[in-house]
Amino acid sequence: ITISLIISFILQVIALPEAVNFIRPYPILMMVLFWSFIPEARFHIHYAWGIGLLTDILLSSTFGLHGFIFALTAFIVKKSHPILKSRNILEQTVCIMLCFFLQTLFIVWVNGMLGFSSALGRLWYFPALLSTLLWPLFFSLMAHICFIIGITDK
């Protein structure tokens, strides 16, 4: 879990050209949601909160903002796990999409209330949309890695 989170932190801060920076997906949230979805990983909600606080420090954003969002989305995924695991990957993706848009809307809303302008402007939904499109591939890849290293049995 630790190595995958370090990789996601690196992917979050890696420099991208300005032309594509506005569509950067949410690698840290994707990793938090994945580990929250896998019960064998024993990834708890307070881990998601701590990772969110580290993300706030890493991105120099409002302290506690990502912590709250990550904990809330991890809670939603853990509570809906019995329903989600019986669905196929496309139906799961629709549910996970709500978590990505929840993060985006909450960040834009809180930053707007604090008087910070959004760097995304009217394109605020692109990172959530790209994260949603990448989720099936990401989930399949991570599930396969978990199977190979022995975290899951299927």
Side-chain angles (χ1 to χ4, degrees), residues 62-120:
T62 305
F63 192 68
L65 182 61
H66 286 92
F68 174 74
I69 293 167
F70 288 4
L72 180 64
T73 54
F75 175 78
I76 291 169
V77 168
K78 287 202 167 284
K79 285 297 180 185
S80 60
H81 182 264
I83 298 167
L84 286 176
K85 80 174 184 180
S86 65
R87 305 287 184 207
N88 66 28
I89 189 71
L90 293 176
E91 292 172 338
Q92 290 174 4
T93 301
V94 171
C95 296
I96 295 298
M97 175 183 66
L98 297 174
C99 294
F100 293 133
F101 277 96
L102 174 72
Q103 177 188 2
T104 304
L105 288 172
F106 194 74
I107 288 174
V108 169
W109 178 61
V110 168
N111 285 338
M113 287 180 55
L114 294 174
F116 303 130
S117 64
S118 174
L120 300 175

Side-chain angles (χ1 to χ4, degrees), residues 20-84:
V20 295
N21 196 31
F22 71 94
I23 61 169
R24 177 191 303 265
Y26 300 130
I28 301 171
L29 181 60
M30 291 172 79
M31 203 62 74
V32 166
L33 291 174
F34 175 78
W35 288 120
S36 297
F37 191 79
I38 305 297
E40 293 89 354
R42 295 191 172 107
F43 186 83
H44 302 289
I45 295 170
H46 64 275
Y47 295 160
W49 177 71
I51 291 166
L53 293 180
L54 287 174
T55 303
D56 289 329
I57 293 169
L58 184 72
L59 300 177
S60 299
S61 63
T62 305
F63 192 68
L65 182 61
H66 286 92
F68 174 74
I69 293 167
F70 288 4
L72 180 64
T73 54
F75 175 78
I76 291 169
V77 168
K78 287 202 167 284
K79 285 297 180 185
S80 60
H81 182 264
I83 298 167
L84 286 176

